[in-house]
Amino acid sequence: MNKNVLLLGASGTAGSAVRQASLSQTETHLTLVSRHASRMMPTPGRETIAELNVHDHSALVKAMQGQDVVFSALSSENGDFDELASLAQDVIKAMQECHISRLIFMVAMGIYNEIPESVGAQDNVQNNSAQIHNLRAAKVIEASSLDYTLLRPGFLISGPKDVVITHRNEKVSGNTTAVSSVGEVAVRLITGDIDAIHDSLGLNQPAIKK
């Protein structure tokens, strides 16, 4: 079944990767949500744009009509530890109102202190207060009744789409993630190739073979 996907934060680095992977690998219809959506060029027959602020409940509900999956690549840019959690609450409220259950929500690696010292634990939340907003958003999502999957990429870099996937209680194998692999895993979640309902997936680049 071809799905309708609402892509929040579609103009950002991760959102763009999800967009391109979805267009090239699936037949999904994308609704591209961004505060700067009018600058984007939608693919005829495959994409619709919706320029809105996620905090605008009525506009968000309108954009959610008829969607099957909500994918969030939203980020907090103002240094407010509660902003991403507030956005998450707004998304959950609108999804519940529209009777949509499937949510894929990006946060960041390190929120569970899952990065080992051996690969550089400076981005674990216990060492980096900038991770607090990601942790708080994750807790909001985890407390919801939605069929959620959290994605935890590390520092985004260019590279092949090969990826190592870890789960909530597992240590990750590195602290970098190829942008292309975010798109790859997103497609597998959207299509149901990966289930991961009520799971939190760490995304890593594979170790370099010597």
Side-chain angles (χ1 to χ4, degrees):
M1 181 184 72
N2 296 337
K3 295 182 178 179
N4 295 321
V5 178
L6 188 73
L7 178 55
L8 305 174
S11 61
T13 300
S16 296
V18 174
R19 177 189 180 189
Q20 294 306 318
S22 297
L23 288 174
S24 63
Q25 298 182 42
T26 76
E27 296 299 321
T28 58
H29 182 277
L30 298 171
T31 298
L32 308 175
V33 175
S34 169
R35 288 173 296 177
H36 314 293
S38 61
R39 303 176 189 173
M40 306 175 78
M41 294 293 292
T43 303
R46 292 290 308 279
E47 295 181 311
T48 303
I49 61 172
E51 185 166 281
L52 60 89
N53 186 319
V54 172
H55 289 311
D56 184 338
H57 180 70
S58 60
L60 183 59
V61 166
K62 183 178 179 181
M64 279 193 183
Q65 299 300 316
Q67 305 293 338
D68 301 302
V69 179
V70 175
F71 190 104
S72 171
L74 296 169
S75 59
S76 175
E77 300 172 353
N78 60 9
D80 182 348
F81 289 158
D82 292 312
E83 172 61 10
L84 193 59
S86 178
L87 289 167
Q89 289 170 334
D90 290 337
V91 171
I92 291 167
K93 181 180 178 181
M95 288 181 67
Q96 290 172 334
E97 187 168 323
C98 296
H99 306 288
I100 303 168
S101 61
R102 187 66 176 114
L103 172 64
I104 305 162
F105 197 99
M106 286 185 58
V107 280
M109 187 182 298
I111 61 171
Y112 307 123
N113 296 312
E114 72 272 29
I115 307 173
E117 291 285 349
S118 59
V119 297
Q122 66 272 10
D123 287 325
N124 283 330
V125 67
Q126 66 184 8
N127 301 323
N128 185 356
S129 62
Q131 288 281 37
I132 292 173
H133 74 283
N134 286 306
L135 176 60
R136 290 182 179 175
K139 287 182 175 180
V140 167
I141 299 297
E142 289 169 335
S144 76
S145 60
L146 299 176
D147 293 333
Y148 71 83
T149 303
L150 293 171
L151 289 185
R152 291 175 286 115
F155 184 74
L156 293 176
I157 61 173
S158 60
K161 62 184 180 182
D162 298 337
V163 63
V164 175
I165 297 175
T166 51
H167 300 273
R168 181 181 280 102
N169 296 317
E170 298 176 344
K171 293 291 185 182
V172 296
S173 57
N175 56 8
T176 59
T177 305
V179 177
S180 58
S181 70
V182 174
E184 182 71 13
V185 173
V187 162
R188 294 174 68 187
L189 287 165
I190 289 167
T191 60
D193 181 48
I194 300 176
D195 185 78
I197 302 295
H198 300 154
D199 202 349
S200 178
L201 306 182
L203 308 181
N204 284 120
Q205 284 191 304
I208 298 175
K209 294 181 180 180
K210 298 181 179 179

